[in-house]
Amino acid sequence: MGYEGFGLDHINPPPHKNAPFKSLTQEQQAERSAELMVDFMTSCPGKTIISGVTGFALGGIMGLFLSSMAYDTPLHTPSPTTSIAGINGQAMVKQFADLPMKQQIRLQFSDMGKKSYSSAKNFGYIGMIYSGVECTVESIRAKNDIFNGLTAGCLTGGGLAYKNGPQAALVGCAGFAAFSLAIDLYMKSEDGKPPKNDFNE
Amino acid sequence: MSFFLNQYGSQDVSEEKLQIAEVQFDAMCTTFNNILKTCMEKCIPHEEYSEGDLTKGEICCIDRCVAKMHYSNRLIGAYVQSRGFGPSTHLRHIEQFKRDVPDADS
């Protein structure tokens, strides 16, 4: 049923619309590739991939910074050097400090890398799922309002906390949806109709 | 107006073809403006915009709206044409209108 033009395009087709790529001149080729690139980036899969990659990168950087503060939090998962049964933590720390400097640095960097990678994966998932769900819901509904963000936030939060049981999934859904609502309302707070004319101040 | 390089210079102007062209243009113009008005009212919000570009939802809405309007226009036009709908059979009252309001014909 799709729209294919009023018929003028069939009678008198524009010359370079469907021409094979090799037959175009240099600047037309550049134009065509730019068009394809922009089309991909504004489509749903493109947006999902871009959000996922950006989330991964940001999560990695944040993980790097947060890994240095990880010893303070009670939720810090014990690294392999402290979880060996029968040896208490202080002895482990003393043993750790006795290693040569290079090994200490290497262990530290590997710990930082692991935490950074896990944080990057988490943020990458968040970005990917949120962007994918929002784009899909908006394409299906064909409307641009705040409900898309709420659905995407709920599915993201619920999907990430799904393994911890249904209650955690509900809490995650509600929390992430509220977060998405707050951010969207803030970004839309300055929207409005354009002024009728440029004269009144 | 070039009298020497005119590639259509050898053709005669036919009154009938002009009238047909006029009718076709009127039909296409009306259809286009209808589609434009309907889909703009349905898909583009009137209260608030955030940026000048179309958002994804608006793009999808416009695509679907134009496709539906165009298809239904084509369907109804084909049906009506197959029934022999024309000014002489179904629009006799237009002659009366033209007589009553002489300047309304445009």
Side-chain angles (χ1 to χ4, degrees), chain A residues 158-179:
Chain A
L160 287 173
Y162 184 64
K163 283 186 214 125
N164 303 339
Q167 206 175 17
L170 276 179
V171 169
C173 162
F176 224 93
F179 176 64

Side-chain angles (χ1 to χ4, degrees), chain A residues 1-8 42-44 47 135 138-144 187-188 190-194, chain B residues 27-28 31-32 35 43 45-51 55-58 60-61 63-64 66-68 70-71 74:
Chain A
M1 189 179 86
Y3 173 64
E4 278 147 34
F6 270 79
L8 293 176
T42 51
S43 71
C44 273
K47 275 193 197 173
C135 186
E138 191 167 355
S139 302
I140 292 176
R141 286 184 72 224
K143 273 191 230 175
N144 183 33
M187 304 233 308
K188 286 190 197 220
E190 289 181 354
D191 289 352
K193 286 177 75 157
Chain B
M28 209 180 277
T31 314
F32 181 75
I35 293 181
C43 296
H46 303 294
E47 295 85 40
E48 53 175 37
Y49 329 119
S50 54
E51 54 180 11
T55 60
K56 187 107 183 98
E58 286 163 4
C60 292
C61 181
D63 276 347
R64 287 180 207 167
V66 169
K68 283 182 204 167
H70 182 69
Y71 185 61
R74 227 171 53 193

